Amino acid sequence: MKLVLLGAAGSGKGTLAKNIVKDFNLPQLSTGDILREIAKENSKLGETVASYQKEGKLVPDEITFEVLKNRLSKNDCLNGYILDGYPRTLNQAKLLAKITDIDAVISIELDLDEIVKRLVSRRNCPKCGEIDNTNHEGYNGLCRKCQTPLFQRDDDKPDAIKARLEVYKQNITPLINFYGDKVFVVSSAGSPEETYKPVKTFLEGLKNE
Ligand code: ADP
Ligand code: ZN
């Protein structure tokens, strides 16, 4: 199964992806994560990527598409994958269509206010990748899995959040139209489990087709 996940920053896209990974044994390819790794490199490319990411702007297509193609050519992608963060624009979807056929697109919907609330309180573990938030009881700034001090992503600050959501809003409708009846829409207003349930049923159906 080749899946695309669509959802604004803070919509619960990463969490949903992890649930799918667990049950369907597909690798999760997050272009955001891959690009963040590249941004750490001490190179011209790293510097360029970092400058876009920091401001919440899209990294240019020449870079992202190369990075993606390279990732898709790895052996673990042979039986399918979950694309998390690609495509983000109609043009990216068209580029992707040249190299592969997508089976289904899961689009996560959530109110803008709720998204902003989730993003400003989001914290990440630098060691194991766990994502947490500051608004629950018992939050102490340490990773609940490995006890490492959590950090806030540079682009989870208000200005960059606004920029990312704006970019998302502009691009989502053309993307949904492009994929047409391959799109399955789910709301993430409830808990992670509530969000995942209909998706799981949908994917099980798809698998048995
Ligand atoms: P979020 O979905 O929370 O914004 P991501 O980790 O998916 O976070 O992406 C973070 C940043 O990485 C984006 O704001 C952008 O700069 C870059 N990026 C990720 N995926 C793409 C893509 N498909 N095209 C261009 N830039 C991307
Ligand atoms: Zn951790």
Side-chain angles (χ1 to χ4, degrees):
M1 266 193 308
K2 295 173 183 169
L3 307 176
V4 164
L5 287 187
L6 299 178
S11 64
K13 186 158 47 80
T15 307
L16 181 66
K18 290 208 167 69
N19 276 316
I20 301 174
V21 167
K22 197 178 63 198
D23 287 336
F24 293 89
N25 194 25
L26 298 167
Q28 172 191 1
L29 314 187
S30 158
T31 44
D33 285 348
I34 300 172
L35 291 167
R36 263 188 294 283
E37 282 308 307
I38 295 176
K40 285 187 202 156
E41 288 168 11
N42 206 344
S43 66
K44 187 90 207 353
L45 178 66
E47 240 173 68
T48 306
V49 169
S51 69
Y52 283 96
Q53 278 197 323
K54 198 168 171 359
E55 294 186 11
K57 293 186 180 153
L58 291 184
V59 176
D61 279 352
E62 306 87 78
I63 300 176
T64 30
F65 191 56
E66 276 314 305
V67 164
L68 181 78
K69 256 202 304 206
N70 182 6
R71 182 64 187 85
L72 291 182
S73 70
K74 303 262 159 73
N75 279 336
D76 65 338
C77 292
L78 282 172
N79 292 318
Y81 40 78
I82 306 164
L83 285 179
D84 167 7
Y86 198 100
R88 274 173 138 90
T89 62
L90 181 59
N91 194 48
Q92 291 186 358
K94 288 178 176 166
L95 287 171
L96 180 65
K98 286 186 186 169
I99 56 167
T100 190
D101 280 318
I102 294 300
D103 297 306
V105 175
I106 305 192
S107 177
I108 308 166
E109 292 189 343
L110 187 64
D111 266 10
L112 222 69
D113 291 351
E114 180 61 26
I115 287 183
V116 173
K117 217 163 73 193
R118 289 186 187 183
L119 283 178
V120 290
S121 66
R122 176 159 80 176
R123 296 294 181 273
N124 300 62
C125 175
K127 197 166 160 202
C128 76
E130 176 73 0
I131 300 170
D132 198 355
N133 71 80
T134 60
N135 337 323
H136 64 81
E137 212 174 306
Y139 175 82
N140 64 356
L142 299 178
C143 175
R144 53 197 155 183
K145 289 224 172 106
C146 75
Q147 312 307 320
T148 305
L150 299 171
F151 75 102
Q152 183 176 35
R153 271 168 49 173
D154 268 348
D155 61 355
D156 278 347
K157 315 263 157 87
D159 279 352
I161 289 175
K162 261 201 276 177
R164 280 150 72 211
L165 293 177
E166 197 48 50
V167 171
Y168 183 77
K169 240 178 32 196
Q170 267 172 24
N171 288 306
I172 186 65
T173 309
L175 269 180
I176 297 274
N177 292 340
F178 179 81
Y179 285 114
D181 56 12
K182 286 187 179 165
V183 179
F184 180 81
V185 176
V186 64
S187 157
S188 65
S191 67
E193 295 74 30
E194 284 163 345
T195 306
Y196 178 47
K197 211 168 157 218
V199 173
K200 185 176 181 189
T201 308
F202 167 73
L203 292 178
E204 278 165 349
L206 194 72
K207 216 169 110 181
N208 294 330
E209 258 175 24

